Amino acid sequence: MLRSAQGALLQILLVCLGLVVTWQKDIRHNREWYGNFYQQGDLLMVRIDEPLIAKPKSFKANGVVEAVIHNHTILPCKGKILVYFSRNNNGDSTRHSLQYGDKVLIHKNIQRINNSGNPGAFNYPRYAAFQQVFHQVFLKEKDWKKTHYSARNAFYTFLFKARDEILQVLRKSIGGKDELGIAEALLIGYTLDLDKDLVQAYSNTGVVHIIAISGMHLALIYFLLVQVFKKIPILNRSGLLQVVLILTCLWIFALLTGASASVLRAAVMFSFITIGANFKKRSSIYNSLAAAAFLMLCYNPYFLWDVGFQLSYLAVISIIVFQQPVYNWWYIKNKWAEKIWKLAAVSLSAQILTFPVCIYYFHQFPNFFLFTNIIAIPLSGIILYTEIGLIGFSWIPIAHTLGGKLVAWLISLMNQTVLWVNKLPFSVSDGIPSTVLSTCLLYGVVIGVGAWLMSKSRSMLYWALTCLLAFVLTGAYENWQIENQQRIVVYNIQQHQAIDIIYGTHFHFIGDSVLLQDAGVQNFILRPARIASQLNKHDRKLKNFFQQSLFYQFNNTRFLLIDRPTSFEIPKQKIAVDLIIISKNPAVSIAQLANVFDCRQFIFDASNSLWKIEKWQKDCEELHLRSYSVPVKGAFVWDIKK
């Protein structure tokens, strides 16, 4: 009784500790946060906190606000901000003139990071908030000035220079663009040179974890370090020196790759294992996992919402729990066949606890993941070791040349395998809808079935069947809702017109044809929105949808789409319409439209200039008309009631 009370008290204390740490980690609760001082028109002193990253139209960098200058008064403060420098004719000079640690004076109003509001879209403001970033600023050449001050951390300077040197070696030795992009991502997590279609192929075949630095990479590095240090006599005599060197190399690699949550998890775990082995202590793997999670969440409680953190822990726990039972399914005498089956068992067991989360976040399941992983995982390990050798011996010309060709050939082989599997029929189950409730119920089924198979517990079987029934009933109810949905969606896509007319699982698209060929827009805006609404057919002749010139009618909703200069004669009686959607900066007057139409709401989409939208909205306010700005408020969704 006493032990249970102590356990309950400990749990309460841990929850309270978590709440306190989470509250304290939020920079907005710090009195020195710049948001407590900043007002429109103030100047900001910002330190560039990383090398500039090239974007199509700008250079991006994380900045640290060191001071707010208000009415010639300098107010010291702290906080992170995203800074974008415009990329004009002198864009390259901007990149070369600004280095890590430089301080710039910004005299432009900052903006809050807002969500696009598109259905099913990635919640970037929440993601940025977890990184303690709440504002961004887009700067033209006249909006900022470099100061004579700088502040550089010696260790981070070393990391950035080492990262740049590694990239230079890879770029000089590896010729193919696709091969170079994979080599950079696999070795140090540099993803800017990756081809989007190739990344999608890796995702579709279930091996995207290979090019996203994770615990697997750190495990390979750890194994290599242990084997190398064992063969060096001086190090082999001193266990303490081995521990120091292994931990130093592991953590430098982790920080060099960007210190993602999954890499940090592996670094902390291997640190425990290394230190324990030195003191001849072998702790439970579950204790190591729990200790690593506790330390990481104490450092940053927002790691709990990081997808990499979640998948990393779920994969490790799944392998620990299910790998041996899965391996025991099949006894193989042949040595090499047994090794292949052992690798397959690891891949299968890792999927058991990760696939519900993967479906929730990515809405797809790679059907041929087992085959691809059996080939790609050993091959990626060979590539990683070869790349390390290439970097280590790059000062030898022949090693530099031959090593680069070998790496390029191995990566080409892996790419061709992935692309071939991706082209196979039914290689991926795509567009799978998922909610928080359905994911939880799916976990109930998976855990119940797993526990029943391993412990033969009837109660766990009943639990699994109950969760399965709830999962089916929930899915049936959601399908009924989907079949009866009718709505109009005006998407928030900068400088573009994009509208979906939705009836059940069918949709009709109105907008710029260029968006249909833009893979980025399709994969990150339109596709997630349509998956969220479970749309599966583009119907050019949608039921109960009619169009005549600029006028549209969908069931009992009538709307007007104005995307070019148009004039209307004033009728004797105003024409009743539900919506007027204004797009592509047409030369129109709100007052004139109000004389012709009795409109319930004006919609200004993201293809319009912001200054025009502001003018139109001001006109709407003066005429007491309802208006909606898509760039400011996010995508507009109009549900049609039967």
Side-chain angles (χ1 to χ4, degrees):
M1 189 73 177
L2 181 60
R3 287 184 178 180
S4 61
Q6 290 175 339
L9 180 61
L10 179 60
Q11 291 178 359
I12 293 172
L13 290 174
L14 288 175
V15 170
C16 292
L17 175 63
L19 293 174
V20 170
V21 172
T22 303
W23 187 90
Q24 188 178 20
K25 187 68 177 179
D26 192 334
I27 189 67
R28 292 172 295 182
H29 297 141
N30 191 311
R31 292 181 180 179
E32 297 180 3
W33 182 52
Y34 68 87
N36 297 325
F37 308 101
Y38 179 80
Q39 298 177 22
Q40 296 289 313
D42 289 349
L43 303 181
L44 291 178
M45 178 70 77
V46 176
R47 185 183 78 246
I48 304 301
D49 207 35
E50 65 176 358
L52 270 61
I53 299 172
K55 297 288 183 181
K57 296 182 180 180
S58 63
F59 292 107
K60 173 191 170 187
N62 289 321
V64 176
V65 180
E66 294 193 338
V68 172
I69 303 174
H70 177 72
N71 293 334
H72 304 289
T73 302
I74 299 177
L75 305 171
C77 56
K78 61 176 64 173
K80 298 178 182 178
I81 187 172
L82 277 180
V83 185
Y84 294 87
F85 298 93
S86 65
R87 193 172 185 173
N88 48 31
N89 295 333
N90 298 321
D92 289 335
S93 64
T94 299
R95 186 177 192 180
H96 292 303
S97 66
L98 286 176
Q99 304 294 328
Y100 158 70
D102 288 343
K103 297 184 181 182
V104 296
L105 193 63
I106 295 174
H107 42 90
K108 185 178 180 182
N109 292 333
I110 62 176
Q111 302 171 344
R112 288 199 68 87
I113 297 176
N114 294 319
N115 201 351
S116 67
N118 293 316
F122 174 65
N123 193 338
Y124 185 70
R126 188 182 70 169
Y127 170 80
F130 288 161
Q131 316 302 317
Q132 302 305 301
V133 181
F134 301 93
H135 294 91
Q136 60 188 353
V137 62
F138 298 85
L139 302 174
K140 294 182 179 178
E141 193 172 354
K142 62 182 177 60
D143 298 326
W144 63 277
K145 183 178 180 181
K146 181 181 176 182
T147 69
H148 299 292
Y149 305 100
S150 64
R152 294 182 175 88
N153 179 286
F155 180 68
Y156 282 108
T157 300
F158 160 74
L159 286 179
F160 291 138
K161 286 185 177 180
R163 188 181 178 90
D164 189 59
E165 288 293 329
I166 291 171
L167 289 174
Q168 291 302 322
V169 171
L170 294 178
R171 288 166 183 170
K172 288 179 181 178
S173 57
I174 300 175
K177 182 180 177 182
D178 289 343
E179 289 76 12
L180 175 62
I182 295 295
E184 293 171 342
L186 198 150
L187 182 60
I188 58 172
Y190 186 84
T191 59
L192 296 180
D193 292 334
L194 283 173
D195 180 75
K196 291 182 179 179
D197 293 334
L198 185 59
V199 173
Q200 190 62 47
Y202 271 77
S203 179
N204 292 344
T205 53
V207 290
V208 74
H209 59 90
I210 287 174
I211 55 176
I213 297 293
S214 63
M216 183 191 77
H217 297 76
L218 214 65
L220 291 170
I221 299 293
Y222 174 79
F223 178 78
L224 177 65
L225 291 172
V226 170
Q227 296 303 314
V228 169
F229 290 160
K230 274 184 180 178
K231 297 193 166 119
I232 300 176
I234 298 176
L235 298 179
N236 199 24
R237 294 172 194 163
S238 174
L240 181 60
L241 185 57
Q242 273 196 48
V243 169
V244 171
L245 289 175
I246 289 174
L247 293 183
T248 300
C249 293
L250 281 179
W251 281 99
I252 287 177
F253 176 78
L255 295 172
L256 191 66
T257 59
S260 66
S262 58
V263 172
L264 288 179
R265 187 273 308 162
V268 173
M269 275 196 61
F270 284 120
S271 297
F272 289 154
I273 293 171
T274 304
I275 294 171
N278 181 64
F279 291 102
K280 310 300 181 183
K281 300 287 185 181
R282 300 188 66 180
S283 63
S284 166
I285 188 66
Y286 296 104
N287 290 341
S288 297
L289 274 173
F294 180 75
L295 288 178
M296 289 181 65
L297 293 177
C298 284
Y299 168 70
N300 185 358
Y302 295 106
F303 276 148
L304 189 61
W305 286 271
D306 185 274
V307 180
F309 180 89
Q310 295 172 10
L311 289 175
S312 177
Y313 270 93
L314 287 170
V316 173
I317 293 172
S318 193
I319 291 171
I320 294 169
V321 174
F322 297 110
Q323 190 268 337
Q324 195 59 44
V326 170
Y327 175 76
N328 291 336
W329 286 351
W330 195 7
Y331 175 72
I332 300 175
K333 292 183 179 180
N334 183 274
K335 178 182 177 182
W336 292 105
E338 187 271 340
K339 289 183 180 297
I340 294 174
W341 171 238
K342 193 170 185 177
L343 178 59
V346 172
S347 296
L348 282 170
S349 59
Q351 284 286 345
I352 293 173
L353 291 183
T354 57
F355 85 88
V357 166
C358 289
I359 290 175
Y360 175 74
Y361 285 116
F362 309 115
H363 305 288
Q364 65 179 33
F365 183 80
N367 298 322
F368 298 149
F369 75 91
L370 187 59
F371 172 75
T372 319
N373 273 277
I374 288 175
I375 296 174
I377 288 179
L379 195 54
S380 67
I382 296 171
I383 294 169
L384 179 63
Y385 288 148
T386 307
E387 285 191 80
I388 293 173
L390 171 63
I391 300 300
F393 296 97
S394 61
W395 53 277
I396 303 175
I398 189 170
H400 179 275
T401 303
L402 294 179
K405 289 182 178 179
L406 179 58
V407 169
W409 180 79
L410 290 170
I411 293 176
S412 177
L413 177 62
M414 186 168 68
N415 287 348
Q416 293 304 317
T417 302
V418 169
L419 291 171
W420 176 74
V421 174
N422 185 49
K423 290 179 181 178
L424 293 176
F426 311 108
S427 63
V428 60
S429 298
D430 201 5
I432 305 173
S434 183
T435 63
V436 173
L437 177 59
S438 65
T439 303
C440 292
L441 291 173
L442 193 55
Y443 268 115
V445 175
V446 170
I447 294 171
V449 170
W452 170 62
L453 290 174
M454 289 191 292
S455 65
K456 307 302 180 184
S457 170
R458 285 189 177 182
S459 60
M460 295 309 299
L461 176 61
Y462 296 149
W463 166 260
L465 292 175
T466 302
C467 291
L468 180 61
L469 177 62
F471 180 80
V472 172
L473 292 176
T474 301
Y477 176 70
E478 290 175 353
N479 287 336
W480 176 80
Q481 286 185 312
I482 293 299
E483 289 294 333
N484 290 277
Q485 69 180 343
Q486 298 176 31
R487 64 171 61 103
I488 299 169
V489 180
V490 182
Y491 292 105
N492 185 6
I493 304 177
Q494 190 176 13
Q495 298 180 346
H496 287 291
Q497 178 193 87
I499 303 169
D500 268 348
I501 312 297
I502 298 171
Y503 188 99
T505 59
H506 294 204
F507 68 94
H508 177 75
F509 178 73
I510 303 170
D512 298 333
S513 58
V514 68
L515 298 180
L516 302 178
Q517 283 78 43
D518 191 322
V521 171
Q522 288 289 328
N523 290 330
F524 297 105
I525 299 178
L526 297 179
R527 181 173 168 271
R530 290 164 182 169
I531 289 174
S533 298
Q534 298 187 35
L535 308 178
N536 54 33
K537 185 176 182 182
H538 185 193
D539 196 339
R540 296 183 181 276
K541 297 181 179 179
L542 201 64
K543 184 179 179 182
N544 298 334
F545 176 70
F546 308 98
Q547 176 192 358
Q548 184 175 1
S549 186
L550 303 177
F551 293 88
Y552 296 78
Q553 180 161 346
F554 180 43
N555 283 338
N556 57 0
T557 294
R558 291 193 293 177
F559 67 94
L560 183 67
L561 176 59
I562 302 176
D563 55 7
R564 56 184 180 270
T566 307
S567 61
F568 300 95
E569 293 184 3
I570 299 177
K572 294 180 180 179
Q573 185 176 358
K574 290 184 179 181
I575 302 171
V577 293
D578 294 287
L579 306 171
I580 294 180
I581 303 172
I582 299 179
S583 179
K584 298 186 177 180
N585 295 304
V588 296
S589 166
I590 299 297
Q592 290 178 356
L593 291 175
N595 288 331
V596 178
F597 299 99
D598 180 13
C599 178
R600 296 173 62 183
Q601 191 163 12
F602 285 81
I603 315 299
F604 311 116
D605 76 3
S607 65
N608 298 297
S609 302
L610 290 177
W611 68 270
K612 270 200 170 185
I613 293 178
E614 291 177 2
K615 180 181 178 300
W616 288 330
Q617 286 200 298
K618 186 177 180 180
D619 293 341
C620 287
E621 289 176 5
E622 292 175 354
L623 296 169
H624 305 289
L625 300 172
R626 292 178 62 194
S627 65
Y628 188 97
S629 171
V630 171
V632 174
K633 295 184 178 180
F636 176 80
V637 180
W638 179 273
D639 285 306
I640 299 172
K641 297 180 181 179
K642 291 184 178 180

